[in-house]
Amino acid sequence: MSTQMLAAVLAHTPLFAGLTPDERQQLARAATDRRFARGETVFGQGEPAAGMFVVMHGQVKVFQLTPGGHEVVLHLVRPGETLAEAAVFRRGAYPAQARAMKPSRLLFLPAQVLLQAILQNPDLALRMLASLSNRLREFAGMLGEQQSGTAVARLSGWLLRQSGDAEGNVRLEMSRETLASLLGLTRETLSRSFSRLRAMGLIAMNRREIRLLDPEGLRALTV
Amino acid sequence: MSTQMLAAVLAHTPLFAGLTPDERQQLARAATDRRFARGETVFGQGEPAAGMFVVMHGQVKVFQLTPGGHEVVLHLVRPGETLAEAAVFRRGAYPAQARAMKPSRLLFLPAQVLLQAILQNPDLALRMLASLSNRLREFAGMLGEQQSGTAVARLSGWLLRQSGDAEGNVRLEMSRETLASLLGLTRETLSRSFSRLRAMGLIAMNRREIRLLDPEGLRALTV
DNA sequence: CGAATCCTTGAGTTCCCTCAAGAGAAGTGG
DNA sequence: CCACTTCTCTTGAGGGAACTCAAGGATTCG
């Protein structure tokens, strides 16, 4: 992929949108284009943090492995979003593992280049701080979530958030397995929770398409 | 408290240690000294993020309230550590609540001043990024932790981390209630877990002083 | 010393996990 | 188009870990 096209990708990434075209051009020259097949590992837990990624196409799952060998999904990264910035700033190792869930194309930005860019561009620093702060809030939300209510309550809350609290369709962009991990449940418990919501007439399902029939009813369950 | 003394506090806070004395002096002039009684609220969930805090003395608990009214502890902040930086960078509202657990003295730095300082000091930006990244890793660790193993396993792991994986004493700087929340458990379950570790001869307890008698034995439980 | 808070222990129950089997899609290759 | 494998999802049965409710000790503080 040409430097030109990589620069264009950066221009559409919120984090780098505030840079001048020249600055983006400079970053793009140091960036590389990487493709990953479905199931391929982007980086492993404990590897030195060589740089950060921007997802151009596809989907990447970031997760930790518990001592028991169970996967705990931290984040599902979609096109336009970034990956592993935090590891770069800690200048240590990646604290989690990342795997492509679909055929994916990522832009890779070496750590040195990113750090340089931030030193020279205070506005980028602020954007990056805001980005990390947002993720921190997300994690805080997840921590709160996972200690609250029953499986059905957590699923209801998640569905409402996905749909913007209104009636409408939610398309699952992930397997049940992944969603279960995000909610701190097992596959089976998630399946049963879906069934119960369906039996109560609150949702309708067809494969990975979910229709919220009664947002109020769902909200009543989130307590 | 004098500007002089506040500047001295900043000099001993890792985040601001890299500034020149002049820069610290400037920040200190805008900073204020705030005292909180035990149990007093530092800021509430949803309040506009007016600025960040540095804990000088005491201890502050940061937590979220679940829909069910249950407290989920996110962080226990000790002297030298900072509070609510992330909220400032998001330029929104505090996403959690903070309460002084002991009589506490905090340095308050208004959002505007902090943002200015970062724009003018790239090194401070990098330190702040590293600090947020560390907290992000902590949260990720907590998320993993709370989905792994039994109550006894989680407690064992926590004790080992506190003691640096070696034999020795761990002093609980918090109530059982707070520790329970950090581990994603209830008071009662935590109490029973302590009892079981004691019954197994792995630890000895006296009030909030805990002696690890058999780190190997504890490690064996963490799986 | 009394009041309030914190901690421990017990009994009963519920929710979720584990183990297990099978149904349903999707991709492969003949 | 159909057998084949593979992956994903659903459902059942059973058991166990942790939660809730409840009461009584222990500690701290005024």
Side-chain angles (χ1 to χ4, degrees), chain A residues 55-128:
Chain A
V55 177
M56 299 190 278
H57 296 294
Q59 190 189 57
V60 177
K61 178 170 81 172
V62 181
F63 61 97
Q64 283 199 328
L65 282 176
T66 70
H70 178 68
E71 282 187 10
V72 178
V73 178
L74 300 174
H75 203 64
L76 259 190
V77 192
R78 321 265 198 96
E81 298 179 334
T82 57
L83 196 60
E85 324 87 292
V88 169
F89 298 119
R90 296 187 54 243
R91 307 180 194 221
Y94 293 116
Q97 196 163 339
R99 180 186 304 150
M101 298 308 285
K102 301 180 181 176
S104 299
R105 196 164 185 178
L106 312 188
L107 179 155
F108 174 77
L109 210 49
Q112 259 324 307
V113 177
L114 179 61
L115 292 171
Q116 271 306 319
I118 284 181
L119 281 174
Q120 291 164 11
N121 195 312
D123 184 65
L124 177 58
L126 277 187
R127 278 171 190 270
M128 190 63 89

Side-chain angles (χ1 to χ4, degrees), chain B residues 99-197:
Chain B
R99 179 187 306 151
M101 298 309 284
K102 302 178 181 177
S104 299
R105 195 164 185 177
L106 312 187
L107 180 154
F108 174 76
L109 209 49
Q112 259 324 306
V113 177
L114 178 63
L115 292 172
Q116 271 306 319
I118 284 181
L119 281 174
Q120 290 164 11
N121 195 311
D123 184 64
L124 177 58
L126 276 187
R127 279 170 191 270
M128 190 63 89
L129 282 166
S131 166
L132 289 184
S133 299
N134 273 322
R135 189 148 313 164
L136 214 39
R137 188 185 47 73
E138 278 171 32
F139 276 21
M142 286 173 72
L143 275 167
E145 182 93 359
Q146 301 204 349
Q147 289 191 40
S148 67
T150 66
V152 169
R154 277 183 252 176
L155 176 56
S156 301
W158 188 86
L159 288 171
L160 286 170
R161 253 173 289 128
Q162 294 302 309
S163 75
D165 262 20
E167 214 163 317
N169 285 17
V170 172
R171 172 157 184 76
L172 283 192
E173 300 287 1
M174 63 191 92
S175 69
R176 301 266 197 284
E177 169 109 49
T178 300
L179 178 56
S181 176
L182 275 173
L183 296 177
L185 304 169
T186 59
R187 241 171 306 140
E188 296 95 323
T189 299
L190 178 62
S191 224
R192 281 184 252 266
S193 302
F194 269 126
S195 296
R196 286 176 65 181
L197 291 183

Side-chain angles (χ1 to χ4, degrees), chain B:
Chain B
M1 203 178 217
S2 73
T3 298
Q4 244 5 282
M5 293 176 70
L6 291 179
V9 169
L10 291 177
H12 289 93
T13 306
L15 208 50
F16 299 102
L19 299 179
T20 67
D22 258 18
E23 290 169 326
R24 278 199 296 271
Q25 194 73 21
Q26 209 174 337
L27 283 181
R29 266 195 287 276
T32 56
D33 177 23
R34 298 209 186 165
R35 291 161 185 276
F36 294 88
R38 172 190 159 87
E40 203 175 341
T41 294
V42 177
F43 54 79
Q45 196 161 342
E47 285 181 17
M52 65 166 276
F53 298 85
V54 179
V55 176
M56 299 190 278
H57 296 295
Q59 191 189 56
V60 176
K61 179 169 81 173
V62 181
F63 61 97
Q64 283 199 328
L65 282 176
T66 70
H70 178 67
E71 282 188 9
V72 178
V73 178
L74 300 175
H75 203 62
L76 257 191
V77 193
R78 321 265 198 95
E81 299 180 333
T82 56
L83 195 61
E85 325 88 290
V88 169
F89 298 119
R90 297 187 54 243
R91 307 180 195 220
Y94 293 117
Q97 195 163 339
R99 179 187 306 151
M101 298 309 284
K102 302 178 181 177
S104 299
R105 195 164 185 177
L106 312 187
L107 180 154
F108 174 76
L109 209 49
Q112 259 324 306
V113 177
L114 178 63
L115 292 172
Q116 271 306 319
I118 284 181
L119 281 174
Q120 290 164 11
N121 195 311
D123 184 64
L124 177 58
L126 276 187
R127 279 170 191 270
M128 190 63 89
L129 282 166
S131 166
L132 289 184
S133 299
N134 273 322
R135 189 148 313 164
L136 214 39
R137 188 185 47 73
E138 278 171 32
F139 276 21
M142 286 173 72
L143 275 167
E145 182 93 359
Q146 301 204 349
Q147 289 191 40
S148 67
T150 66
V152 169
R154 277 183 252 176
L155 176 56
S156 301
W158 188 86
L159 288 171
L160 286 170
R161 253 173 289 128
Q162 294 302 309
S163 75
D165 262 20
E167 214 163 317
N169 285 17
V170 172
R171 172 157 184 76
L172 283 192
E173 300 287 1
M174 63 191 92
S175 69
R176 301 266 197 284
E177 169 109 49
T178 300
L179 178 56
S181 176
L182 275 173
L183 296 177
L185 304 169
T186 59
R187 241 171 306 140
E188 296 95 323
T189 299
L190 178 62
S191 224
R192 281 184 252 266
S193 302
F194 269 126
S195 296
R196 286 176 65 181
L197 291 183
R198 208 175 25 185
M200 288 190 252
L202 302 179
I203 64 173
M205 278 177 21
N206 182 359
R207 304 179 33 55
R208 293 193 175 174
E209 209 64 51
I210 300 164
R211 189 139 35 103
L212 309 195
L213 302 173
D214 182 358
E216 275 314 318
L218 287 171
R219 199 162 300 119
L221 293 176
T222 58
V223 181

Side-chain angles (χ1 to χ4, degrees), chain A residues 31-53:
Chain A
T32 56
D33 177 23
R34 298 209 185 166
R35 291 161 185 277
F36 295 87
R38 173 190 160 87
E40 203 176 341
T41 295
V42 177
F43 54 80
Q45 196 162 341
E47 283 181 19
M52 66 167 277
F53 299 85

